[in-house]
Amino acid sequence: MYEVIERRMIVPNLHEFTVRAPAVARSVKPGQFVIVRPEENGERIPLSVADWDREAGTVTSIFMQVGASTAKLARLKPGQTIPTYAGPLGRKTDIENFGTVLLVGGCYGIGSIYPVARALKEAGNKVYTFLEARGSFLLYWEDKLAAASDGMFIATRDGTKGRKGHIADMPAMLSAAGITPDRVIVNGCTFLLMRTSELTRPLGWKTVVNMNPIMIDGTGMCGVCRVSVGGKMKFACVDGPDFDGHEIDWAEFLARRKSYGPEEVDPLRRSSCASHF
Ligand code: FES
């Protein structure tokens, strides 16, 4: 059993979730994920890792409450235990000195982009972070990200922080600051991954997206997480979750998500991420 150290709503519908899992904390890397179950025989939920403390043996994720299983996670209190906390899973995000890297984060991806920023900064990159949200009330971890970045850009749809706008304004904001990234890395909802890839393709900016398909086993056995990348079938859980955003068959990916029915799609449509697309 794994002890819940912290579970708190940090902005509406998004929860910071810290669990004591020393084996995961010892080896986890940026871009990886864990699979959790809030109770025996419960649904397996993949959560991107957003931070960790190797000494304390704790791992932190940010999750969105979208259905029955995440509602159970959202009711957990410090001191309670969960039966499953499997990981670290997936391949780590490529970290090397690329030069100038733009990190794009929205929703739960604001959390999971943080260890990527930290690692890229340590590798000697110029790191710029672009956060997108419906309003300032949905932003979090700005201080942590600012500390790991050389510059921050924020766009909110209601204009309550940064530029009034959204991801479509990102190229103009970068251009005005004289920044041309050598690589773009995006964490967040499917729409943010897809839209950023569409924007960067004509600009020729290599774009890596941290995919978030539905998963069951997380170890390459069930096939549920398959994604077409460059015409080849890949499993996000073992071949990813990072892929080249310009090679993803986005139409197929969105159709696959729909095939899982209203239980998955409707919460996504209602989410703050999707509302402006
Ligand atoms: Fe089953 Fe990836 S989650 S193959």
Side-chain angles (χ1 to χ4, degrees):
M1 298 297 274
Y2 299 86
E3 182 190 357
V4 176
I5 303 299
E6 177 72 278
R7 198 284 312 147
R8 66 188 179 101
M9 191 187 282
I10 48 171
V11 296
N13 230 26
L14 285 180
H15 298 255
E16 184 175 316
F17 181 51
T18 300
V19 173
R20 191 181 310 285
V24 180
R26 257 196 308 277
S27 56
V28 67
K29 301 273 190 333
Q32 292 188 297
F33 65 96
V34 293
I35 284 193
V36 308
R37 280 189 313 163
E39 60 189 10
E40 291 289 351
N41 305 318
E43 185 186 5
R44 294 165 66 84
I45 306 167
L47 299 180
S48 298
V49 168
D51 204 358
W52 54 83
D53 183 330
R54 297 205 200 280
E55 257 178 44
T58 60
V59 181
T60 299
S61 292
I62 305 292
F63 72 86
M64 177 186 275
Q65 186 181 335
V66 289
S69 295
T70 47
K72 284 175 191 156
L73 278 186
R75 286 196 290 271
L76 289 168
K77 293 189 171 52
Q80 289 186 287
T81 57
I82 57 173
T84 303
Y85 198 86
L89 298 168
R91 299 161 72 95
K92 69 181 181 66
T93 296
D94 279 344
I95 303 290
E96 57 182 87
N97 192 339
F98 299 110
T100 298
V101 183
L102 175 71
L103 303 178
V104 177
C107 190
Y108 43 81
I110 293 174
S112 58
I113 207 77
Y114 168 65
V116 181
R118 192 171 54 190
L120 285 167
K121 190 83 188 113
E122 283 169 12
N125 291 278
K126 276 254 180 221
V127 176
Y128 295 96
T129 303
F130 183 98
L131 304 182
E132 188 212 58
R134 195 149 49 91
S136 57
F137 68 100
L138 290 170
L139 294 170
Y140 59 96
W141 284 19
E142 288 168 76
D143 291 353
K144 289 175 74 156
L145 279 161
S149 307
D150 293 279
M152 295 269 288
F153 298 86
I154 293 175
T156 52
R157 195 180 177 210
D158 63 5
T160 46
K161 189 145 201 186
R163 179 157 170 159
K164 188 174 192 299
H166 46 76
I167 187 63
D169 298 294
M170 178 270 286
M173 291 167 75
L174 257 62
S175 171
I179 296 165
T180 304
D182 297 296
R183 174 170 293 232
V184 179
I185 302 175
V186 197
N187 281 22
C189 74
T190 302
F191 293 94
L192 184 66
L193 308 184
M194 181 177 72
R195 272 301 167 97
T196 308
S197 300
E198 286 170 349
L199 286 167
T200 57
R201 184 197 302 273
L203 297 168
W205 297 351
K206 182 171 176 63
T207 298
V208 175
V209 293
N210 190 266
M211 294 297 281
N212 51 12
I214 296 157
M215 293 187 184
I216 295 179
D217 64 295
T219 58
M221 303 290 282
C222 70
V224 165
C225 67
R226 62 184 180 272
V227 183
S228 289
V229 185
K232 297 198 176 100
M233 191 181 75
K234 302 279 186 186
F235 290 161
C237 67
V238 288
D239 301 317
D242 281 0
F243 294 110
D244 186 331
H246 299 158
E247 294 201 339
I248 303 270
D249 183 335
W250 291 106
E252 182 195 81
F253 186 76
L254 288 174
R256 277 185 58 74
R257 287 205 75 123
K258 279 184 195 149
S259 72
Y260 290 98
E263 298 85 359
E264 294 291 344
V265 174
D266 286 349
L268 185 65
R269 284 197 181 129
R270 285 198 300 272
S271 80
S272 57
C273 311
S275 60
H276 58 268
F277 293 107

